[in-house]
Amino acid sequence: MPLTNTQIKYYDSNVLRLPKDKRETYNAQVDRLIAALKDSLKKQDKIIIKKVVKAGSFAKHTILRPNSQFPADVDVVFYISGQKVDEETFATLSQKIYDALIKLYPNKSVEDFEIQRKAAKVTFVGTGLEVDIVPVIENPNKEGYGWQFDRIDGTKTETCAPCQVKFVKDRKDQDPDFRTLVRMAKQWRSWKGVPLKSFHIELIMAHVLEVNGKAGLLEKRFRDFLLYIAESGLKEVIKFPENGWVSQFSEPVVIIDPVCDTNNVASRITEEERKEIVQIAQESWETAHFASIEDDLEVWKELFGKGFKVEGAA
């Protein structure tokens, strides 16, 4: 017998979803960081920060409740104005942010700060919160848009953080259970070690919603997510109504960014990883199908971990 929607929503509310008090705590901590960093950068480097936007899973409300293995993370996009895209590099901007953080938090160890490919990461020991500070050079001609740099290969990508948040909100407005399904898929990804990023999962789930609609039990719809990956092999180009004309891509997996037609967000997924993702999805669908038929809650833990629980279960 399949899991009921009530059971899945209990699991989502009590295990997966970030609690309201934690969200408020993280919001306050991030707001203090933003205010201090904006002031520091303005004084030290005369950088014009046009606006700051909270982005990523936290802003989309698809973030998972943190645990000892997977901490909570918040993306904060700093829109930099007055810089020339062809002259300013991510490395330069990130170094300025890194230096400012060192001055703001002189008592924190250097290990608490890290310059990554596209962000400067701050880790707060007390709450375990990780904050990725992403500098984006503003495009003055397109509201909310700007260019994001890659420190490793030097490439730049057009992005729109508010648009990405709106994309998920639009799907949630279309389907009130969309975020629940995304959180389930993210938990599956984390527990099974699937080489997919959160953004990939949000977009694949949005594509499945577009193809299949929102009818049916949540359990069946989660299985359909796994089945889509298994049957398609992730060889189909995934794009959305928000996209315009899409050029050809040569990468093994192509998932078009709904806010930038030239950006394949899955470009770094290798052929070996594609095969691994598809294999895990196939095996997971078979496990979920068996768990559903046998009405066995213990089997569901093979997909979601030992923390899986539903109301009334022993």
Side-chain angles (χ1 to χ4, degrees):
M1 158 176 200
L3 295 171
T4 67
N5 285 0
T6 299
Q7 287 176 313
I8 286 181
K9 289 179 180 180
Y10 176 89
Y11 172 55
D12 182 40
S13 296
N14 291 276
V15 180
L16 299 183
R17 189 183 304 173
L18 184 69
K20 182 180 178 181
D21 60 336
K22 281 287 188 182
R23 173 170 285 277
E24 291 174 348
T25 298
Y26 295 155
N27 257 321
Q29 193 163 34
V30 172
D31 287 344
R32 290 193 294 271
L33 170 62
I34 290 172
L37 188 55
K38 283 177 66 176
D39 185 62
S40 178
L41 288 172
K42 184 178 180 180
K43 289 179 179 178
Q44 293 179 33
D45 298 290
K46 307 299 182 184
I47 292 177
I48 301 173
I49 300 172
K50 196 65 175 290
K51 64 180 175 181
V52 179
V53 176
K54 293 174 188 172
S57 298
F58 183 80
K60 298 171 186 173
H61 293 264
T62 60
I63 188 173
L64 293 178
R65 185 179 305 207
N67 55 44
S68 58
Q69 189 176 2
F70 300 103
D73 65 285
V74 178
D75 293 340
V76 180
V77 179
F78 276 67
Y79 282 82
I80 310 299
S81 179
Q83 305 290 311
K84 292 184 179 179
V85 177
D86 294 333
E87 295 179 10
E88 186 60 271
T89 66
F90 170 79
T92 303
L93 287 171
S94 279
Q95 189 62 49
K96 291 175 181 178
I97 291 172
Y98 183 86
D99 293 341
L101 289 171
I102 294 293
K103 293 179 180 179
L104 281 174
Y105 299 99
N107 296 324
K108 288 176 70 67
S109 65
V110 174
E111 288 76 16
D112 291 331
F113 304 107
E114 177 187 357
I115 297 182
Q116 301 181 316
R117 288 191 74 130
K118 294 184 178 180
K121 181 183 290 292
V122 183
T123 302
F124 291 96
V125 177
T127 60
L129 178 66
E130 295 181 350
V131 182
D132 288 339
I133 300 165
V134 183
V136 168
I137 295 180
E138 179 196 38
N139 181 349
N141 300 317
K142 293 177 69 176
E143 178 64 28
Y145 279 79
W147 288 275
Q148 186 177 5
F149 288 85
D150 187 303
R151 181 175 64 88
I152 305 300
D153 59 24
T155 59
K156 61 179 183 290
T157 304
E158 189 177 34
T159 189
C160 176
C163 303
Q164 291 177 347
V165 173
K166 183 179 183 299
F167 176 87
V168 171
K169 182 181 182 303
D170 288 344
R171 270 63 190 174
K172 186 263 181 186
D173 291 343
Q174 178 185 348
D175 170 22
D177 296 315
F178 179 75
R179 288 171 176 159
T180 293
L181 287 164
V182 168
R183 286 189 289 267
M184 290 177 67
K186 287 186 179 183
Q187 177 62 22
W188 164 75
R189 179 273 315 268
S190 298
W191 181 252
K192 300 296 287 185
V194 186
L196 284 171
K197 294 183 177 181
S198 293
F199 196 25
H200 299 151
I201 288 176
E202 290 165 355
L203 296 183
I204 295 172
M205 190 66 77
H207 179 67
V208 174
L209 170 64
E210 184 178 338
V211 172
N212 294 353
K214 61 180 182 180
L217 290 173
L218 289 173
E219 185 215 282
K220 170 64 163 52
R221 295 181 61 196
F222 172 71
R223 285 191 280 120
D224 285 346
F225 164 81
L226 299 175
L227 189 62
Y228 170 77
I229 295 175
E231 290 188 338
S232 70
L234 288 181
K235 291 183 176 181
E236 301 175 352
V237 174
I238 295 177
K239 60 181 181 178
F240 303 94
E242 286 87 347
N243 293 122
W245 180 84
V246 175
S247 60
Q248 296 294 316
F249 293 88
S250 60
E251 293 87 3
V253 181
V254 180
I255 305 175
I256 308 300
D257 188 341
V259 308
C260 179
D261 300 336
T262 59
N263 181 27
N264 173 17
V265 303
S267 62
R268 292 197 180 92
I269 295 178
T270 65
E271 175 62 13
E272 290 72 23
E273 287 174 330
R274 183 195 66 79
K275 292 178 180 178
E276 179 185 358
I277 294 165
V278 171
Q279 180 179 348
I280 296 174
Q282 177 65 46
E283 294 170 352
S284 296
W285 181 87
E286 293 169 359
T287 299
H289 183 66
F290 178 79
S292 181
I293 292 175
E294 296 295 319
D295 193 19
D296 193 331
L297 296 179
E298 288 300 311
V299 177
W300 283 110
K301 292 181 181 180
E302 296 179 23
L303 299 182
F304 297 118
K306 297 178 180 179
F308 177 80
K309 63 180 180 179
V310 296
E311 191 171 16

